[in-house]
Amino acid sequence: MQNLLIIEDNLIYSHFLVNSICKELNNIRLYSIVDTGKKALEILKKEKIDIIILDLKLPDISGNNLSQYYASIIVLTNEIDLLNQVINKKSVFTYSSKIDNINSFIDKVRELSKEKQDISLKNSIKEKISSELEYLGFDFSYIGTRYLYDCIYECYLSDTLYNINFSKHIYPILAKKYNKSQVLIKANIFQAIGQMYRTIDKDKLSTYFGYSLLDKPTTKEIIFTILQKIS
């Protein structure tokens, strides 16, 4: 469930929004409705809030001042001048006029909710990849380990994982990201695997991969094994 905070001094309007959102989106729950910026700040400093619906015109402080505290915000206003103050801020996810079409507004909340879910899932996968590499004894001070981590993550994102061509689909992405040649990237990964293989207990390695290794595992073996374990 995602926590929703509504910062709006018109309580009738706030309840209208809550009823509309909760009727359409069952993965969102209301954390609180507050009518001042001060009350909102007290919550934001202590609690995990996923989505904020923010009125820019509050009785105590400008909602514009609150927009810097949180990335996932839907701004509500009918005043173009106020909207222009925050529209270019990276902290503001989206915005809506107050309110021309409730269905359009719900679509914005749904879009934001999905984006939050996608980010949460990606962060979880990244943490799992790091954990598996650390378990195997990969040293993250090696650039090759970072390249391997990125390879695993890009493979996870791929729609054609088991038909993937590393030289065609994965290494070019890393080469562009790091402005390095594919040859250098592959060599650095090979070095990182070699460092891991020299230091890890071989019984632990065999148990991890499910068979006895006569030599260090290949990049592909490592990637596919880790992806199987975190799936």
Side-chain angles (χ1 to χ4, degrees):
M1 295 290 287
Q2 296 177 345
N3 286 329
L4 170 70
L5 174 64
I6 295 182
I7 309 171
E8 164 66 66
D9 59 338
N10 184 329
L11 292 181
I12 294 176
Y13 184 62
S14 295
H15 285 290
F16 165 70
L17 293 179
V18 170
N19 291 335
S20 300
I21 293 169
C22 293
K23 180 180 178 181
E24 296 294 330
L25 305 175
N26 57 16
N27 65 319
I28 294 177
R29 64 184 174 193
L30 177 66
Y31 180 85
S32 184
I33 297 174
V34 295
D35 56 1
T36 68
K38 182 178 179 181
K39 293 177 183 176
L41 285 176
E42 290 175 354
I43 293 174
L44 291 174
K45 289 176 181 178
K46 298 177 182 177
E47 306 298 336
K48 179 182 179 295
I49 303 298
D50 298 292
I51 300 173
I52 294 174
I53 297 174
L54 172 64
D55 181 13
L56 290 181
K57 203 168 183 180
L58 297 169
D60 54 346
I61 63 176
S62 169
N64 186 29
N65 294 330
L66 289 172
S67 66
Q68 64 183 298
Y69 286 92
Y70 203 77
S72 301
I73 297 176
I74 294 178
V75 171
L76 300 175
T77 184
N78 280 329
E79 300 186 29
I80 300 300
D81 289 343
L82 286 176
L83 184 59
N84 287 336
Q85 293 177 27
V86 298
I87 194 171
N88 293 321
K89 284 190 173 185
K90 293 181 179 179
S91 61
V92 178
F93 181 85
T94 186
Y95 62 93
S96 175
S97 61
K98 199 178 182 180
I99 267 179
D100 298 326
N101 186 322
I102 188 60
N103 292 326
S104 176
F105 174 77
I106 294 298
D107 286 342
K108 288 181 182 294
V109 179
R110 182 180 290 108
E111 176 187 350
L112 178 53
S113 175
K114 184 179 184 304
E115 178 72 13
K116 293 288 292 184
Q117 287 177 330
D118 290 345
I119 291 172
S120 178
L121 175 60
K122 288 177 180 179
N123 287 340
S124 175
I125 292 298
K126 289 178 178 179
E127 290 174 2
K128 289 179 180 179
I129 293 171
S130 293
S131 178
E132 295 299 318
L133 289 172
E134 289 171 359
Y135 177 79
L136 289 172
F138 277 94
D139 186 345
F140 274 84
S141 68
Y142 279 60
I143 187 61
T145 299
R146 180 65 195 182
Y147 292 157
L148 179 59
Y149 166 93
D150 284 350
C151 278
I152 298 169
Y153 183 65
E154 292 298 334
C155 285
Y156 169 80
L157 297 177
S158 173
D159 294 328
T160 57
L161 174 59
Y162 292 103
N163 294 319
I164 203 160
N165 183 316
F166 283 70
S167 295
K168 183 178 180 181
H169 301 122
I170 301 300
Y171 293 135
I173 295 174
L174 271 65
K176 182 177 180 180
K177 177 179 179 179
Y178 291 100
N179 194 27
K180 303 291 183 181
S181 71
Q182 293 188 44
V183 172
L184 181 60
I185 287 171
K186 287 189 282 187
N188 287 147
I189 291 174
F190 187 80
Q191 290 171 358
I193 294 173
Q195 179 272 335
M196 176 277 292
Y197 188 73
R198 287 191 297 272
T199 58
I200 192 172
D201 178 86
K202 299 306 181 289
D203 289 336
K204 178 180 181 180
L205 195 64
S206 296
T207 300
Y208 188 86
F209 284 91
Y211 56 90
S212 181
L213 292 162
L214 300 177
D215 195 2
K216 57 181 174 292
T218 65
T219 302
K220 195 174 217 180
E221 286 175 319
I222 292 171
I223 291 174
F224 282 4
T225 301
I226 287 179
L227 287 176
Q228 287 173 357
K229 289 183 180 295
I230 68 176
S231 296

